[in-house]
Coordinates of all heavy atoms in Angstrom, one line a residue:
M246 N 19.5 -25.4 37.2 CA 20.8 -24.9 37.5 C 21.7 -26.1 37.9 O 22.9 -26.2 37.6 CB 20.7 -23.9 38.7 CG 22.1 -23.5 39.2 SD 22.1 -22.4 40.5 CE 21.1 -21.1 39.9
R247 N 21.1 -27.1 38.6 CA 21.9 -28.2 39.0 C 22.6 -29.0 37.9 O 23.7 -29.4 38.0 CB 20.9 -29.2 39.7 CG 21.7 -30.3 40.4 CD 20.8 -31.2 41.2 NE 19.7 -30.4 41.9 CZ 18.5 -30.9 42.3 NH1 18.3 -32.2 42.1 NH2 17.7 -30.2 42.9
Q248 N 21.9 -29.0 36.7 CA 22.5 -29.7 35.5 C 23.8 -29.0 35.1 O 24.7 -29.7 34.6 CB 21.5 -29.8 34.4 CG 20.3 -30.7 34.8 CD 20.6 -32.2 35.1 OE1 21.6 -32.7 34.5 NE2 20.0 -32.7 36.0
E249 N 23.7 -27.7 35.1 CA 24.9 -26.9 34.6 C 26.1 -27.1 35.5 O 27.3 -27.0 35.1 CB 24.6 -25.5 34.5 CG 23.6 -25.1 33.4 CD 22.2 -25.4 33.7 OE1 21.8 -25.7 34.8 OE2 21.4 -25.4 32.7
L250 N 25.9 -27.4 36.8 CA 27.0 -27.6 37.8 C 27.6 -29.0 37.9 O 28.5 -29.2 38.5 CB 26.5 -27.1 39.1 CG 26.1 -25.7 39.3 CD1 25.5 -25.4 40.6 CD2 27.1 -24.7 38.9
R251 N 26.9 -29.9 37.2 CA 27.3 -31.3 37.3 C 28.5 -31.6 36.3 O 28.7 -31.0 35.3 CB 26.2 -32.3 36.8 CG 25.1 -32.4 37.9 CD 24.1 -33.4 37.5 NE 23.2 -33.5 38.5 CZ 22.3 -34.5 38.6 NH1 22.2 -35.4 37.6 NH2 21.4 -34.5 39.6
N252 N 29.3 -32.6 36.7 CA 30.4 -33.2 35.9 C 31.3 -32.1 35.3 O 31.8 -32.2 34.2 CB 29.7 -34.0 34.8 CG 28.9 -35.1 35.3 OD1 29.3 -35.8 36.3 ND2 27.8 -35.4 34.6
K253 N 31.6 -31.1 36.1 CA 32.6 -30.1 35.7 C 32.2 -29.4 34.4 O 33.1 -29.0 33.6 CB 34.0 -30.6 35.6 CG 34.6 -31.0 37.0 CD 36.0 -31.4 36.8 CE 36.6 -31.7 38.2 NZ 38.1 -32.0 38.1
K254 N 30.9 -29.3 34.1 CA 30.5 -28.7 32.8 C 31.0 -27.2 32.7 O 31.2 -26.7 31.6 CB 29.0 -28.7 32.7 CG 28.5 -30.0 32.3 CD 27.0 -30.0 32.1 CE 26.4 -31.4 31.9 NZ 25.0 -31.4 31.7
L255 N 31.2 -26.6 33.8 CA 31.7 -25.2 33.8 C 33.2 -25.2 34.0 O 33.8 -24.1 34.1 CB 31.1 -24.4 34.9 CG 29.6 -24.2 34.8 CD1 29.0 -23.5 36.1 CD2 29.2 -23.5 33.6
G256 N 33.8 -26.3 34.1 CA 35.3 -26.4 34.2 C 35.8 -26.5 35.6 O 37.0 -26.6 35.8
Y257 N 34.9 -26.5 36.6 CA 35.2 -26.6 38.0 C 34.3 -27.6 38.7 O 33.1 -27.7 38.3 CB 35.2 -25.2 38.6 CG 36.1 -24.2 38.0 CD1 35.6 -23.3 37.1 CD2 37.4 -24.2 38.4 CE1 36.5 -22.4 36.5 CE2 38.3 -23.3 37.8 CZ 37.8 -22.4 36.9 OH 38.7 -21.5 36.3
K258 N 34.8 -28.2 39.7 CA 34.0 -29.1 40.5 C 33.1 -28.4 41.5 O 33.6 -27.5 42.3 CB 34.8 -30.1 41.3 CG 34.0 -31.1 42.1 CD 34.9 -32.1 42.8 CE 34.0 -33.0 43.6 NZ 34.5 -34.3 43.8
F259 N 31.8 -28.6 41.5 CA 30.9 -28.0 42.5 C 30.4 -29.2 43.4 O 30.0 -30.2 42.9 CB 29.7 -27.4 41.8 CG 30.0 -26.0 41.3 CD1 30.6 -25.8 40.0 CD2 29.7 -24.9 42.0 CE1 30.9 -24.5 39.6 CE2 30.0 -23.6 41.6 CZ 30.6 -23.5 40.3
R260 N 30.4 -29.0 44.7 CA 29.9 -29.9 45.6 C 28.5 -29.4 46.0 O 28.2 -28.3 46.1 CB 30.8 -30.0 46.8 CG 32.1 -30.5 46.6 CD 33.0 -30.4 47.8 NE 34.3 -30.7 47.5 CZ 35.1 -31.4 48.3 NH1 34.7 -31.8 49.5 NH2 36.3 -31.7 47.9
R261 N 27.6 -30.4 46.3 CA 26.2 -30.1 46.7 C 26.1 -30.3 48.2 O 26.6 -31.3 48.7 CB 25.3 -31.0 45.9 CG 23.9 -30.6 45.9 CD 23.1 -31.3 44.9 NE 21.7 -31.0 45.0 CZ 20.9 -31.8 45.5 NH1 21.2 -33.0 45.9 NH2 19.6 -31.4 45.7
Q262 N 25.3 -29.5 48.8 CA 25.0 -29.6 50.2 C 26.2 -29.7 51.1 O 26.4 -30.7 51.9 CB 24.1 -30.8 50.5 CG 22.7 -30.7 49.7 CD 21.9 -29.6 50.3 OE1 21.5 -29.6 51.5 NE2 21.5 -28.6 49.5
H263 N 27.1 -28.8 51.0 CA 28.4 -28.8 51.7 C 28.3 -28.0 53.0 O 27.8 -26.8 53.1 CB 29.5 -28.1 50.8 CG 30.8 -28.2 51.4 ND1 31.6 -29.3 51.3 CD2 31.6 -27.2 52.0 CE1 32.8 -29.1 51.9 NE2 32.8 -27.8 52.3
I264 N 28.8 -28.6 54.1 CA 28.6 -27.9 55.4 C 29.8 -26.9 55.6 O 30.9 -27.2 55.4 CB 28.7 -29.0 56.5 CG1 27.5 -29.9 56.4 CG2 28.7 -28.3 57.9 CD1 27.5 -31.1 57.3
I265 N 29.4 -25.7 56.1 CA 30.3 -24.7 56.4 C 29.8 -24.2 57.8 O 28.8 -23.5 58.0 CB 30.3 -23.5 55.5 CG1 30.6 -24.0 54.0 CG2 31.2 -22.4 55.9 CD1 30.4 -23.0 53.0
D266 N 30.6 -24.5 58.9 CA 30.2 -24.2 60.2 C 28.8 -24.8 60.5 O 28.7 -26.0 60.4 CB 30.2 -22.7 60.5 CG 31.6 -22.2 60.6 OD1 32.6 -22.9 60.8 OD2 31.8 -21.0 60.4
V267 N 27.9 -24.0 60.8 CA 26.5 -24.5 61.1 C 25.6 -24.3 59.9 O 24.4 -24.6 60.0 CB 25.9 -23.8 62.4 CG1 26.7 -24.1 63.6 CG2 25.8 -22.3 62.1
F268 N 26.1 -23.9 58.8 CA 25.3 -23.7 57.6 C 25.6 -24.8 56.5 O 26.6 -25.4 56.5 CB 25.7 -22.3 56.9 CG 25.6 -21.2 57.9 CD1 26.7 -20.7 58.5 CD2 24.4 -20.7 58.2 CE1 26.6 -19.6 59.4 CE2 24.3 -19.6 59.1 CZ 25.4 -19.1 59.7
I269 N 24.6 -25.0 55.7 CA 24.8 -26.0 54.6 C 24.6 -25.2 53.3 O 23.5 -24.7 53.0 CB 23.7 -27.1 54.7 CG1 23.9 -27.9 56.0 CG2 23.9 -28.0 53.5 CD1 22.9 -29.0 56.2
A270 N 25.7 -25.1 52.5 CA 25.6 -24.4 51.2 C 25.0 -25.3 50.2 O 25.3 -26.5 50.2 CB 27.0 -24.0 50.8
D271 N 24.1 -24.8 49.4 CA 23.5 -25.6 48.3 C 24.6 -26.1 47.4 O 24.6 -27.3 47.0 CB 22.5 -24.7 47.6 CG 21.2 -24.4 48.4 OD1 20.9 -25.2 49.3 OD2 20.6 -23.3 48.2
F272 N 25.4 -25.2 46.9 CA 26.5 -25.6 45.9 C 27.8 -24.8 46.3 O 27.7 -23.7 46.7 CB 26.1 -25.3 44.5 CG 24.9 -26.0 44.0 CD1 23.7 -25.3 44.0 CD2 24.9 -27.3 43.6 CE1 22.5 -25.9 43.6 CE2 23.8 -28.0 43.1 CZ 22.6 -27.3 43.1
I273 N 28.9 -25.5 46.2 CA 30.2 -24.8 46.5 C 31.3 -25.3 45.5 O 31.4 -26.4 45.2 CB 30.6 -25.0 48.0 CG1 31.9 -24.2 48.3 CG2 30.8 -26.5 48.3 CD1 32.2 -24.2 49.7
C274 N 32.0 -24.3 45.0 CA 33.2 -24.6 44.3 C 34.4 -24.2 45.2 O 34.7 -23.0 45.3 CB 33.3 -23.9 43.0 SG 34.8 -24.1 42.0
I275 N 35.0 -25.1 45.8 CA 36.1 -24.8 46.7 C 37.3 -24.2 46.0 O 37.9 -23.2 46.5 CB 36.5 -26.1 47.5 CG1 35.4 -26.5 48.4 CG2 37.8 -25.8 48.4 CD1 35.6 -27.8 49.1
E276 N 37.6 -24.6 44.9 CA 38.7 -24.1 44.1 C 38.6 -22.6 43.8 O 39.5 -21.8 43.9 CB 38.9 -24.8 42.8 CG 40.1 -24.4 41.9 CD 40.2 -25.2 40.6 OE1 39.4 -26.2 40.4 OE2 41.0 -24.8 39.8
K277 N 37.4 -22.1 43.5 CA 37.1 -20.7 43.2 C 36.5 -20.0 44.4 O 36.2 -18.8 44.2 CB 36.2 -20.6 42.0 CG 36.8 -21.0 40.7 CD 37.9 -20.0 40.4 CE 38.6 -20.2 39.1 NZ 39.6 -19.3 38.8
K278 N 36.4 -20.6 45.6 CA 35.8 -20.0 46.7 C 34.4 -19.3 46.4 O 34.2 -18.2 46.7 CB 36.7 -19.0 47.3 CG 38.0 -19.6 47.8 CD 38.9 -18.6 48.4 CE 40.2 -19.2 48.9 NZ 41.1 -18.3 49.6
L279 N 33.6 -20.1 45.7 CA 32.3 -19.6 45.3 C 31.2 -20.5 45.9 O 31.2 -21.7 45.8 CB 32.2 -19.7 43.8 CG 30.9 -19.4 43.1 CD1 30.4 -18.0 43.4 CD2 30.9 -19.7 41.6
I280 N 30.2 -19.9 46.4 CA 29.0 -20.5 46.9 C 27.8 -20.1 46.1 O 27.6 -18.9 45.9 CB 28.8 -20.3 48.4 CG1 29.9 -20.9 49.2 CG2 27.4 -20.8 48.9 CD1 29.8 -20.6 50.7
I281 N 26.9 -21.0 45.8 CA 25.7 -20.7 45.1 C 24.6 -21.1 46.0 O 24.5 -22.3 46.4 CB 25.6 -21.3 43.7 CG1 26.7 -20.8 42.8 CG2 24.2 -21.0 43.1 CD1 26.8 -21.4 41.5
E282 N 23.7 -20.2 46.4 CA 22.6 -20.5 47.3 C 21.3 -20.3 46.5 O 21.2 -19.3 45.8 CB 22.5 -19.6 48.5 CG 23.5 -20.0 49.6 CD 23.1 -21.3 50.3 OE1 21.9 -21.4 50.7 OE2 24.0 -22.1 50.4
V283 N 20.4 -21.3 46.5 CA 19.1 -21.2 45.8 C 18.1 -21.1 47.0 O 17.8 -22.1 47.6 CB 18.9 -22.4 44.9 CG1 17.5 -22.2 44.2 CG2 20.0 -22.6 43.9
D284 N 17.5 -19.9 47.2 CA 16.5 -19.7 48.2 C 15.1 -19.8 47.8 O 14.7 -19.2 46.8 CB 16.8 -18.3 48.9 CG 18.1 -18.2 49.6 OD1 18.7 -19.3 49.9 OD2 18.5 -17.1 50.0
G285 N 14.3 -20.6 48.5 CA 12.9 -20.8 48.1 C 12.0 -19.9 49.0 O 12.5 -18.9 49.6
D286 N 10.7 -20.0 48.9 CA 9.8 -19.2 49.6 C 10.0 -19.1 51.1 O 9.7 -18.1 51.8 CB 8.3 -19.7 49.4 CG 7.9 -19.4 47.9 OD1 8.5 -18.5 47.3 OD2 7.0 -20.1 47.5
Y287 N 10.5 -20.2 51.7 CA 10.9 -20.2 53.1 C 11.7 -19.0 53.5 O 11.6 -18.5 54.6 CB 11.5 -21.5 53.4 CG 12.1 -21.6 54.8 CD1 11.3 -21.9 55.9 CD2 13.5 -21.6 55.0 CE1 11.8 -22.0 57.2 CE2 14.0 -21.7 56.3 CZ 13.1 -21.9 57.4 OH 13.6 -22.0 58.6
H288 N 12.6 -18.6 52.6 CA 13.5 -17.5 52.9 C 12.8 -16.1 52.8 O 13.5 -15.1 53.1 CB 14.7 -17.5 52.0 CG 15.5 -18.8 52.2 ND1 16.5 -18.9 53.2 CD2 15.4 -20.0 51.7 CE1 17.0 -20.1 53.2 NE2 16.4 -20.8 52.3
N289 N 11.5 -16.0 52.5 CA 10.8 -14.8 52.5 C 10.1 -14.5 53.9 O 9.6 -13.4 54.1 CB 9.7 -14.8 51.5 CG 10.3 -14.8 50.1 OD1 11.4 -14.3 49.9 ND2 9.6 -15.5 49.2
I290 N 10.2 -15.4 54.8 CA 9.7 -15.2 56.2 C 10.6 -14.2 56.9 O 11.9 -14.4 56.9 CB 9.6 -16.5 57.0 CG1 8.7 -17.5 56.2 CG2 9.2 -16.3 58.4 CD1 8.8 -18.9 56.8
P291 N 10.1 -13.1 57.5 CA 11.0 -12.1 58.1 C 12.0 -12.6 59.0 O 13.2 -12.2 58.9 CB 10.0 -11.2 58.8 CG 8.7 -11.3 58.1 CD 8.7 -12.7 57.6
N292 N 11.7 -13.5 59.9 CA 12.7 -14.1 60.9 C 13.8 -14.8 60.1 O 15.0 -14.7 60.4 CB 12.0 -15.0 61.9 CG 13.0 -15.5 62.9 OD1 13.8 -14.7 63.5 ND2 12.9 -16.7 63.2
Q293 N 13.4 -15.5 59.1 CA 14.4 -16.3 58.3 C 15.3 -15.3 57.5 O 16.4 -15.6 57.3 CB 13.7 -17.3 57.3 CG 14.7 -18.1 56.6 CD 15.5 -19.0 57.5 OE1 15.0 -19.5 58.5 NE2 16.8 -19.1 57.2
Q294 N 14.7 -14.2 57.1 CA 15.5 -13.2 56.3 C 16.7 -12.7 57.2 O 17.8 -12.5 56.8 CB 14.6 -12.1 55.8 CG 13.8 -12.5 54.7 CD 12.8 -11.4 54.2 OE1 12.5 -10.5 54.9 NE2 12.3 -11.6 53.0
E295 N 16.4 -12.4 58.5 CA 17.4 -12.0 59.4 C 18.5 -13.0 59.6 O 19.7 -12.7 59.6 CB 16.8 -11.7 60.8 CG 15.9 -10.5 60.7 CD 15.2 -10.3 62.1 OE1 15.6 -10.8 63.1 OE2 14.1 -9.6 62.0
L296 N 18.1 -14.3 59.7 CA 19.1 -15.4 59.8 C 19.9 -15.6 58.5 O 21.1 -15.8 58.6 CB 18.3 -16.7 60.1 CG 17.6 -16.7 61.5 CD1 16.8 -18.0 61.7 CD2 18.7 -16.7 62.6
D297 N 19.2 -15.3 57.4 CA 19.9 -15.4 56.1 C 21.0 -14.3 56.0 O 22.1 -14.6 55.4 CB 19.0 -15.3 54.9 CG 18.1 -16.5 54.7 OD1 18.4 -17.5 55.4 OD2 17.1 -16.4 54.0
I298 N 20.8 -13.1 56.5 CA 21.8 -12.1 56.5 C 23.0 -12.5 57.3 O 24.1 -12.3 56.9 CB 21.2 -10.7 57.0 CG1 20.1 -10.2 56.0 CG2 22.2 -9.7 57.3 CD1 19.3 -9.0 56.6
L299 N 22.7 -13.1 58.5 CA 23.8 -13.6 59.3 C 24.6 -14.7 58.6 O 25.8 -14.7 58.7 CB 23.3 -14.0 60.7 CG 22.7 -12.9 61.6 CD1 22.1 -13.5 62.8 CD2 23.8 -11.9 62.0
R300 N 23.8 -15.6 58.0 CA 24.5 -16.7 57.2 C 25.4 -16.1 56.1 O 26.5 -16.5 56.0 CB 23.3 -17.5 56.6 CG 23.9 -18.6 55.6 CD 22.8 -19.1 54.7 NE 22.3 -18.0 53.8 CZ 21.4 -18.2 52.9 NH1 20.7 -19.3 52.8 NH2 21.1 -17.2 52.1
T301 N 24.9 -15.2 55.4 CA 25.6 -14.6 54.3 C 26.9 -13.9 54.8 O 28.0 -14.1 54.3 CB 24.8 -13.6 53.5 OG1 23.6 -14.3 53.0 CG2 25.6 -13.0 52.3
Q302 N 26.8 -13.1 55.9 CA 27.9 -12.5 56.5 C 29.0 -13.5 56.9 O 30.2 -13.3 56.7 CB 27.5 -11.6 57.6 CG 26.7 -10.4 57.1 CD 26.1 -9.6 58.3 OE1 26.1 -10.1 59.5 NE2 25.7 -8.4 58.1
N303 N 28.5 -14.5 57.6 CA 29.4 -15.5 58.1 C 30.2 -16.2 57.0 O 31.4 -16.4 57.0 CB 28.6 -16.5 58.9 CG 29.5 -17.5 59.6 OD1 30.1 -18.4 59.0 ND2 29.5 -17.5 61.0
I304 N 29.4 -16.6 56.0 CA 30.1 -17.3 54.8 C 31.0 -16.4 54.1 O 32.1 -16.9 53.7 CB 29.0 -18.0 53.9 CG1 28.3 -19.1 54.7 CG2 29.5 -18.4 52.6 CD1 27.1 -19.7 53.9
K305 N 30.6 -15.2 53.9 CA 31.5 -14.3 53.1 C 32.8 -14.0 53.8 O 33.8 -13.7 53.2 CB 30.8 -13.0 52.8 CG 29.8 -13.1 51.7 CD 29.2 -11.7 51.4 CE 28.3 -11.8 50.1 NZ 27.8 -10.5 49.8
M306 N 32.8 -14.1 55.2 CA 34.1 -14.0 55.9 C 35.0 -15.1 55.6 O 36.2 -15.0 55.7 CB 33.8 -13.9 57.4 CG 33.2 -12.6 57.8 SD 33.1 -12.2 59.6 CE 32.7 -13.8 60.3
K307 N 34.5 -16.3 55.3 CA 35.3 -17.5 55.1 C 35.7 -17.7 53.7 O 36.7 -18.2 53.3 CB 34.6 -18.7 55.6 CG 34.4 -18.7 57.1 CD 33.5 -19.8 57.5 CE 33.2 -19.8 59.0 NZ 33.8 -18.9 59.8
L308 N 34.8 -17.2 52.8 CA 35.0 -17.4 51.3 C 35.0 -16.0 50.6 O 34.5 -15.0 51.2 CB 33.9 -18.3 50.8 CG 34.0 -19.7 51.3 CD1 32.7 -20.5 51.0 CD2 35.2 -20.5 50.8
A309 N 35.4 -16.1 49.4 CA 35.5 -14.8 48.6 C 34.1 -14.3 48.1 O 33.9 -13.1 48.0 CB 36.5 -14.9 47.5
F310 N 33.2 -15.2 47.6 CA 32.1 -14.8 46.9 C 30.9 -15.7 47.1 O 31.1 -16.9 47.2 CB 32.4 -14.7 45.4 CG 31.5 -14.0 44.6 CD1 31.4 -12.6 44.7 CD2 30.7 -14.6 43.7 CE1 30.5 -11.9 43.9 CE2 29.8 -14.0 42.9 CZ 29.7 -12.6 43.0
M311 N 29.7 -15.1 47.2 CA 28.5 -15.9 47.3 C 27.4 -15.4 46.4 O 27.2 -14.2 46.4 CB 28.0 -15.8 48.8 CG 26.8 -16.6 49.1 SD 26.5 -16.6 50.9 CE 25.0 -17.5 51.0
C312 N 26.7 -16.2 45.6 CA 25.6 -15.8 44.8 C 24.4 -16.4 45.4 O 24.3 -17.5 45.7 CB 25.8 -16.4 43.4 SG 27.2 -15.8 42.5
L313 N 23.3 -15.5 45.4 CA 22.0 -16.0 45.8 C 21.0 -15.9 44.7 O 21.0 -15.0 43.9 CB 21.5 -15.0 46.9 CG 22.3 -15.0 48.2 CD1 21.8 -13.9 49.1 CD2 22.3 -16.3 48.9
F314 N 20.2 -17.0 44.6 CA 19.2 -17.0 43.5 C 17.9 -17.4 44.2 O 17.9 -18.2 45.1 CB 19.6 -18.1 42.5 CG 20.8 -17.8 41.7 CD1 22.0 -18.3 42.1 CD2 20.7 -17.1 40.5 CE1 23.2 -18.0 41.3 CE2 21.8 -16.8 39.8 CZ 23.0 -17.2 40.2
D315 N 16.8 -16.9 43.7 CA 15.5 -17.3 44.1 C 15.1 -18.6 43.3 O 15.3 -18.7 42.1 CB 14.4 -16.3 43.8 CG 14.5 -15.1 44.7 OD1 15.0 -15.3 45.9 OD2 14.2 -14.0 44.3
N316 N 14.5 -19.5 44.1 CA 14.0 -20.8 43.5 C 12.7 -20.5 42.8 O 11.7 -20.4 43.5 CB 14.0 -21.9 44.5 CG 13.6 -23.2 43.9 OD1 13.5 -23.4 42.7 ND2 13.5 -24.2 44.8
E317 N 12.6 -20.4 41.5 CA 11.4 -20.1 40.8 C 10.7 -21.3 40.4 O 9.5 -21.2 39.9 CB 11.7 -19.2 39.6 CG 12.3 -17.9 40.0 CD 12.7 -17.1 38.8 OE1 12.4 -17.4 37.6 OE2 13.4 -16.0 39.0
A318 N 11.2 -22.5 40.6 CA 10.5 -23.7 40.2 C 9.6 -24.2 41.3 O 9.8 -24.0 42.5 CB 11.5 -24.8 39.8

């Protein structure tokens, strides 16, 4: 996925590891208000899942759209 987001291949600039409040977004396109999160196995831990829900709610209040993907690699 990282390769597709580099060098404006999709027509928009994506930043990597961008800080939003106390969260770090994996990828963000500020122009389109889009965040892409790639969640690994760590995010399957029940306590972490609760924190992820809060993270998602917090980020969605600030931005329009957020996509979550599982890290299969």
Side-chain angles (χ1 to χ4, degrees):
M246 176 181 306
R247 190 176 319 158
Q248 294 299 325
E249 288 81 11
L250 299 177
R251 287 186 176 189
N252 301 320
K253 293 188 176 182
K254 286 183 182 177
L255 298 176
Y257 299 97
K258 178 179 179 151
F259 280 83
R260 297 173 186 217
R261 194 166 173 255
Q262 299 293 299
H263 186 78
I264 297 172
I265 302 170
D266 288 339
V267 297
F268 306 101
I269 299 175
D271 292 330
F272 301 96
I273 183 170
C274 176
I275 294 174
E276 183 179 354
K277 288 295 181 179
K278 298 183 178 181
L279 171 66
I280 291 177
I281 297 176
E282 283 290 310
V283 182
D284 291 345
D286 288 337
Y287 172 75
H288 295 274
N289 293 328
I290 300 170
N292 186 43
Q293 186 59 42
Q294 289 176 341
E295 293 173 18
L296 294 173
D297 287 348
I298 291 169
L299 294 174
R300 170 197 69 181
T301 300
Q302 290 172 346
N303 186 295
I304 289 174
K305 282 184 175 180
M306 286 189 325
K307 295 174 183 355
L308 298 167
F310 195 69
M311 181 173 178
C312 295
L313 299 173
F314 294 92
D315 287 330
N316 185 6
E317 298 178 8

